[in-house]
Amino acid sequence: MERSRHICAFFCVCAVLTGCSTTPAPRGEVKGMSASGKEMAQSDTNRIATIAMRDNLESLYLLMDKLYKRNPAEWRKTGTSREESIKRVRAAVEQRQPWPGLQGQRDIKALSLALSPEFSGDRVAALIYGSADMIVAAHDGKTEFFLIDGLDAQHIYNAARNIEIAVWLLGSRRDSNGKVLLLADDISENGRNLSFEREFGKVVGRLDLMAEFLTEKYRRAGITYVQNLIGGSFLQFLPVR
């Protein structure tokens, strides 16, 4: 009888642990990209770069929405609604088209103009477009990556530093009236809202990790080559018959 009780208790504990292991976390669960035939033409590095690019652009679009909510006067300069303005910026980024309010400027020149105190256009659109275009440019102008593609780790590292500079300028520069260029993070007696800084930080973190991963990839390729040479000569089993 005693043994039976111990066995029942054991299976009850196992059932509880199994249930816990399959229950999604209260804050969500990990979701990967949908499978597609394109994966056959992608290495692990290509796949990671593609996912990182997707997530970085989604972070910028989320920031655009949040900035428009705090600065509604900006979307009114270019559209009839916040949603319309977001849609237009997304289309320009993903179709690699210039943004009309940036006088044909791209990459870091667009980002610099967006953060100029004298800029009078839709600053939210210009900032997000400039940031996204700069990140895509650092990835050789692509948002998906395949076996024939190569990436420069230093360019991606530089993109991370550019985002950091843009965030600092956004919070420190003032227009001719002495006001910040855009309302973003808020620290007041009512509380702290640092969601903008956190989301920009995610973009910087992904870019830095990707740059380090690329550097490690090429270094490890050299080490693996040497290991294979050594292994071919010294690490083979010897015949015993």
Side-chain angles (χ1 to χ4, degrees):
M1 180 66 70
E2 186 68 23
R3 183 180 179 185
S4 297
R5 284 200 296 268
H6 285 308
I7 292 174
C8 289
F10 172 76
F11 281 112
C12 286
V13 171
C14 288
V16 170
L17 292 176
T18 301
C20 291
S21 65
T22 57
T23 301
R27 295 181 182 272
E29 56 185 316
V30 177
K31 294 182 179 180
M33 290 184 72
S34 300
S36 71
K38 294 180 179 180
E39 291 183 57
M40 299 301 295
Q42 291 180 317
S43 66
D44 291 347
T45 301
N46 297 148
R47 191 66 174 166
I48 291 171
T50 298
I51 292 171
M53 174 62 74
R54 177 205 64 181
D55 289 350
N56 280 333
L57 292 180
E58 287 300 324
S59 284
L60 290 176
Y61 299 149
L62 174 61
L63 284 162
M64 176 166 52
D65 188 39
K66 291 165 68 68
L67 284 168
Y68 272 145
K69 287 177 179 177
R70 291 216 69 194
N71 305 269
E74 298 302 315
W75 64 256
R76 294 191 178 104
K77 297 176 182 178
T78 56
T80 58
S81 68
R82 186 179 80 252
E83 292 77 12
E84 180 195 349
S85 295
I86 291 173
K87 185 177 180 180
R88 290 180 60 204
V89 175
R90 288 187 67 132
V93 169
E94 292 166 11
Q95 295 172 18
R96 301 288 287 145
Q97 298 296 320
W99 182 249
L102 286 169
Q103 305 165 18
Q105 301 294 340
R106 307 290 296 264
D107 194 355
I108 55 175
K109 291 183 178 180
L111 195 53
S112 179
L113 182 58
L115 291 166
S116 169
E118 296 77 27
F119 183 72
S120 59
D122 181 345
R123 196 183 297 277
V124 172
L127 172 65
I128 298 303
Y129 174 86
S131 299
D133 195 63
M134 181 270 299
I135 290 174
V136 174
H139 289 74
D140 200 27
K142 300 172 183 176
T143 57
E144 287 187 292
F145 308 94
F146 300 94
L147 293 171
I148 61 173
D149 297 321
L151 292 171
D152 189 308
Q154 188 63 48
H155 290 167
I156 296 174
Y157 176 87
N158 292 348
R161 306 288 76 76
N162 289 340
I163 292 294
E164 289 179 334
I165 293 169
V167 173
W168 185 83
L169 291 174
L170 186 64
S172 61
R173 277 187 174 172
R174 299 291 188 273
D175 61 17
S176 58
N177 297 317
K179 296 181 179 179
V180 293
L181 301 182
L182 290 171
L183 293 175
D185 288 328
D186 180 42
I187 301 177
S188 64
E189 295 179 356
N190 298 324
R192 295 162 57 90
N193 174 11
L194 301 178
S195 59
F196 293 90
E197 181 179 320
R198 286 195 297 269
E199 201 63 39
F200 274 119
K202 291 179 184 179
V203 176
V204 172
R206 291 188 200 102
L207 291 170
D208 275 336
L209 183 59
M210 192 68 226
E212 189 171 353
F213 178 79
L214 287 168
T215 302
E216 183 78 4
K217 170 195 169 185
Y218 296 126
R219 186 174 67 84
R220 289 301 306 174
I223 292 174
T224 300
Y225 177 74
V226 173
Q227 288 175 336
N228 288 337
L229 287 178
I230 295 174
S233 302
F234 302 107
L235 300 180
Q236 294 184 3
F237 289 112
L238 300 176
V240 295
R241 295 186 185 182

